Short mmCIF file of all heavy atoms in Angstrom, two decimals:
data_model
loop_
_atom_site.label_atom_id
_atom_site.label_comp_id
_atom_site.label_asym_id
_atom_site.label_seq_id
_atom_site.Cartn_x
_atom_site.Cartn_y
_atom_site.Cartn_z
N ALA A 1253 4.77 10.70 2.07
CA ALA A 1253 5.33 11.59 1.06
C ALA A 1253 4.40 12.69 0.66
O ALA A 1253 4.82 13.69 0.08
CB ALA A 1253 5.73 10.77 -0.17
N LEU A 1254 3.12 12.52 0.93
CA LEU A 1254 2.16 13.52 0.52
C LEU A 1254 1.87 14.52 1.63
O LEU A 1254 1.11 15.46 1.48
CB LEU A 1254 0.81 12.86 0.10
CG LEU A 1254 0.91 12.06 -1.21
CD1 LEU A 1254 -0.40 11.35 -1.47
CD2 LEU A 1254 1.30 12.95 -2.36
N LEU A 1255 2.46 14.29 2.79
CA LEU A 1255 2.27 15.20 3.93
C LEU A 1255 3.51 16.05 4.09
O LEU A 1255 4.63 15.52 4.18
CB LEU A 1255 2.01 14.39 5.17
CG LEU A 1255 0.71 13.57 5.20
CD1 LEU A 1255 0.68 12.65 6.40
CD2 LEU A 1255 -0.47 14.49 5.23
N PHE A 1256 3.33 17.35 4.14
CA PHE A 1256 4.47 18.22 4.32
C PHE A 1256 4.81 18.34 5.81
O PHE A 1256 3.92 18.37 6.66
CB PHE A 1256 4.15 19.65 3.81
CG PHE A 1256 4.10 19.70 2.32
CD1 PHE A 1256 2.96 20.17 1.70
CD2 PHE A 1256 5.18 19.34 1.57
CE1 PHE A 1256 2.91 20.26 0.33
CE2 PHE A 1256 5.15 19.42 0.22
CZ PHE A 1256 4.00 19.85 -0.41
N ILE A 1257 6.09 18.41 6.11
CA ILE A 1257 6.51 18.63 7.47
C ILE A 1257 6.44 20.14 7.76
O ILE A 1257 6.45 20.95 6.85
CB ILE A 1257 7.94 18.10 7.69
CG1 ILE A 1257 8.94 18.86 6.80
CG2 ILE A 1257 7.99 16.63 7.45
CD1 ILE A 1257 10.38 18.44 7.02
N PRO A 1258 6.40 20.51 9.02
CA PRO A 1258 6.21 21.93 9.38
C PRO A 1258 7.26 22.84 8.82
O PRO A 1258 7.07 24.04 8.70
CB PRO A 1258 6.25 21.90 10.91
CG PRO A 1258 5.79 20.53 11.27
CD PRO A 1258 6.33 19.64 10.19
N LEU A 1259 8.42 22.28 8.40
CA LEU A 1259 9.50 23.13 7.86
C LEU A 1259 9.00 23.96 6.70
O LEU A 1259 9.48 25.08 6.47
CB LEU A 1259 10.66 22.24 7.41
CG LEU A 1259 11.84 22.90 6.68
CD1 LEU A 1259 12.48 23.93 7.64
CD2 LEU A 1259 12.83 21.85 6.22
N LEU A 1260 8.02 23.46 5.95
CA LEU A 1260 7.55 24.16 4.79
C LEU A 1260 6.99 25.50 5.14
O LEU A 1260 7.03 26.47 4.35
CB LEU A 1260 6.45 23.34 4.09
CG LEU A 1260 6.93 22.12 3.31
CD1 LEU A 1260 5.73 21.36 2.81
CD2 LEU A 1260 7.79 22.56 2.15
N ALA A 1261 6.40 25.63 6.32
CA ALA A 1261 5.77 26.88 6.70
C ALA A 1261 6.77 28.02 6.79
O ALA A 1261 6.41 29.21 6.78
CB ALA A 1261 5.05 26.72 8.03
N SER A 1262 8.06 27.69 6.91
CA SER A 1262 9.06 28.73 7.06
C SER A 1262 9.50 29.34 5.76
O SER A 1262 10.18 30.35 5.73
CB SER A 1262 10.29 28.13 7.78
OG SER A 1262 10.95 27.20 6.95
N PHE A 1263 9.09 28.74 4.66
CA PHE A 1263 9.49 29.27 3.38
C PHE A 1263 8.67 30.52 3.04
O PHE A 1263 7.47 30.52 3.17
CB PHE A 1263 9.27 28.26 2.23
CG PHE A 1263 10.15 27.05 2.35
CD1 PHE A 1263 9.79 25.87 1.77
CD2 PHE A 1263 11.38 27.11 3.00
CE1 PHE A 1263 10.62 24.75 1.84
CE2 PHE A 1263 12.19 26.03 3.10
CZ PHE A 1263 11.79 24.84 2.53
N GLY A 1264 9.32 31.55 2.57
CA GLY A 1264 8.61 32.77 2.23
C GLY A 1264 8.75 33.09 0.75
O GLY A 1264 9.43 32.39 0.04
N LEU A 1265 8.13 34.18 0.31
CA LEU A 1265 8.20 34.58 -1.08
C LEU A 1265 9.30 35.59 -1.32
O LEU A 1265 9.63 35.87 -2.45
CB LEU A 1265 6.84 35.19 -1.48
CG LEU A 1265 5.64 34.23 -1.39
CD1 LEU A 1265 4.39 34.99 -1.79
CD2 LEU A 1265 5.83 33.00 -2.24
N THR A 1266 9.85 36.15 -0.30
CA THR A 1266 10.77 37.27 -0.49
C THR A 1266 12.06 36.90 -1.15
O THR A 1266 12.70 37.71 -1.80
CB THR A 1266 11.10 37.93 0.88
OG1 THR A 1266 11.65 36.93 1.74
CG2 THR A 1266 9.83 38.50 1.51
N ALA A 1267 12.48 35.65 -1.04
CA ALA A 1267 13.78 35.24 -1.59
C ALA A 1267 13.75 35.18 -3.11
O ALA A 1267 14.78 34.95 -3.71
CB ALA A 1267 14.18 33.88 -1.01
N CYS A 1268 12.59 35.35 -3.72
CA CYS A 1268 12.47 35.12 -5.16
C CYS A 1268 12.51 36.37 -5.98
O CYS A 1268 12.42 36.34 -7.19
CB CYS A 1268 11.15 34.40 -5.46
SG CYS A 1268 10.95 32.94 -4.44
N SER A 1269 12.61 37.51 -5.39
CA SER A 1269 12.43 38.74 -6.13
C SER A 1269 13.68 39.20 -6.85
O SER A 1269 13.60 40.15 -7.61
CB SER A 1269 11.97 39.87 -5.16
OG SER A 1269 12.96 40.05 -4.15
N SER A 1270 14.80 38.53 -6.65
CA SER A 1270 16.03 39.01 -7.24
C SER A 1270 16.57 38.11 -8.33
O SER A 1270 17.74 38.07 -8.59
CB SER A 1270 17.09 39.18 -6.16
OG SER A 1270 17.32 37.96 -5.49
N GLY A 1271 15.68 37.32 -8.99
CA GLY A 1271 16.16 36.42 -10.01
C GLY A 1271 16.74 37.16 -11.19
O GLY A 1271 16.30 38.24 -11.58
N SER A 1272 17.73 36.55 -11.85
CA SER A 1272 18.38 37.19 -12.99
C SER A 1272 17.56 36.97 -14.24
O SER A 1272 16.99 35.91 -14.45
CB SER A 1272 19.79 36.57 -13.21
OG SER A 1272 20.58 36.77 -12.07
N ALA A 1273 17.51 37.95 -15.09
CA ALA A 1273 16.79 37.82 -16.38
C ALA A 1273 17.66 37.14 -17.39
O ALA A 1273 18.87 37.28 -17.39
CB ALA A 1273 16.41 39.22 -16.88
N PRO A 1274 17.06 36.35 -18.28
CA PRO A 1274 17.85 35.69 -19.31
C PRO A 1274 18.33 36.68 -20.35
O PRO A 1274 17.83 37.79 -20.46
CB PRO A 1274 16.82 34.71 -19.93
CG PRO A 1274 15.49 35.36 -19.69
CD PRO A 1274 15.62 36.03 -18.35
N ALA A 1275 19.30 36.28 -21.14
CA ALA A 1275 19.83 37.14 -22.22
C ALA A 1275 18.68 37.48 -23.16
O ALA A 1275 17.85 36.65 -23.49
CB ALA A 1275 20.92 36.40 -22.98
N GLY A 1276 18.69 38.71 -23.63
CA GLY A 1276 17.67 39.14 -24.58
C GLY A 1276 16.51 39.82 -23.93
O GLY A 1276 15.68 40.40 -24.64
#
Side-chain angles (χ1 to χ4, degrees):
L1254 293 176
L1255 294 171
F1256 288 122
I1257 62 176
L1259 175 61
L1260 286 174
S1262 66
F1263 293 156
L1265 299 178
T1266 57
C1268 309
S1269 60
S1270 58
S1272 300

